[in-house]
Structures are given as C-alpha cells and as structure tokens.
C-alpha cells in the first residue's frame, strides 16, 4: 500500500466517523497536535489538538445528528487529500484538504470550516 493509499484510507475513515456521529473515532484520525484551519482569509486557525477536535465535533454531532457528508470528488497527491464535500441537510458544499503524516491527519484546511464546526 502506498503513502497516498494510506492517506486516502485515513481521510475516508474520518468521513465514515462523521457520518456515524462518532466523535471518538473521528478525532482518533487526527494527530495529538493536529490543526483545523479555514481556507477563507489567511488560513485562520479554527481548532488545535485532538481533544479540541473531539469536543467541538462531538458538540456538532449531538446538535445535528442528521448531518451527513457526501464526498463528491477526491484527489490525492503527495499525502494531501482534497475532497469536494456536500452536506445535503444544509445544501452546502465545502472543500477540505487533509495532510496525513505518520498515518494520521495533522492538518486540515476547510472552506466553510466555521459553518461546519461552530455550534454557537
């Protein structure tokens, strides 16, 4: 299995955990010091660390149990996985770029990150 194959496997695992609303499995796909950044502006830091990811996405999952993600297109190159995501409940698209290092997602850049992560 190539590094690109492993990267796709990890990104798919976190998408499957999103759809299962499993915050533990979702955050387990991320490194301890992972960062989630917004692609809007200058890559604003949205979340930092596996625990913050678990907590924030856990709130999102509890508040929106019917929210699902559909991967409409995926591209992988040198350990970067780019997904065009669709959220039917919100009729919304997002672009997500995931960097996988040492078998875990260590950086995610997401267009529409604030809308998807914040529950305020």
């Amino acid at each position: 299995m190539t590094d690109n194959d492993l990267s796709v496997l990890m990104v798919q695992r976190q998408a499957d955990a999103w759809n299962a609303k499993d915050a533990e499995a979702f955050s387990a796909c991320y490194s301890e010091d992972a960062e989630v950044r917004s692609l809007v502006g200058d890559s604003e830091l949205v979340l930092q660390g596996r625990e913050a990811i678990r907590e924030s996405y856990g709130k999102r999952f509890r508040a929106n149990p019917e929210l699902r993600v559909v991967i409409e297109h995926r591209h992988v190159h040198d350990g970067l996985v780019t997904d065009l995501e669709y959220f039917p409940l919100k009729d919304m698209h997002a672009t997500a770029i995931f960097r996988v290092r040492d078998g875990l997602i260590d950086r995610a850049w997401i267009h529409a990150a604030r809308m998807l992560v914040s529950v305020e």
Side-chain angles (χ1 to χ4, degrees):
M1 195 174 275
T2 69
D3 286 345
N4 280 342
D5 292 336
L6 292 171
S7 295
V8 168
L9 183 66
M10 183 52 62
V11 171
Q12 185 59 49
R13 185 176 294 161
Q14 65 93 37
D16 292 341
W18 172 289
N19 286 332
K21 303 301 172 277
D22 186 339
E24 293 298 326
F26 184 87
S27 63
C29 297
Y30 289 82
S31 66
E32 286 291 332
D33 63 345
E35 294 180 357
V36 176
R37 292 184 168 272
S38 173
L39 276 173
V40 177
D42 61 353
S43 296
E44 165 192 5
L45 183 64
V46 177
L47 293 169
Q48 186 164 22
R50 182 184 293 154
E51 181 58 28
I53 290 168
R54 185 194 63 74
E55 183 178 315
S56 182
Y57 280 89
K59 287 178 187 176
R60 168 60 58 191
F61 297 158
R62 287 187 299 276
N64 300 280
E66 66 287 349
L67 187 62
R68 298 189 48 79
V69 63
V70 176
I71 307 304
E72 291 189 331
H73 180 77
R74 176 171 283 153
H75 177 77
V76 62
H77 179 72
D78 285 344
L80 288 176
V81 180
T82 303
D83 283 350
L84 175 59
E85 302 172 333
Y86 178 65
F87 298 85
L89 182 69
K90 292 185 175 260
D91 191 26
M92 181 182 118
H93 284 92
T95 300
I97 303 169
F98 302 96
R99 186 175 74 182
V100 178
R101 296 286 186 263
D102 299 322
L104 294 171
I105 300 166
D106 74 336
R107 298 293 181 272
W109 296 269
I110 304 173
H111 186 276
R114 285 276 180 215
M115 289 186 285
L116 292 172
V117 174
S118 177
V119 292
E120 280 78 54

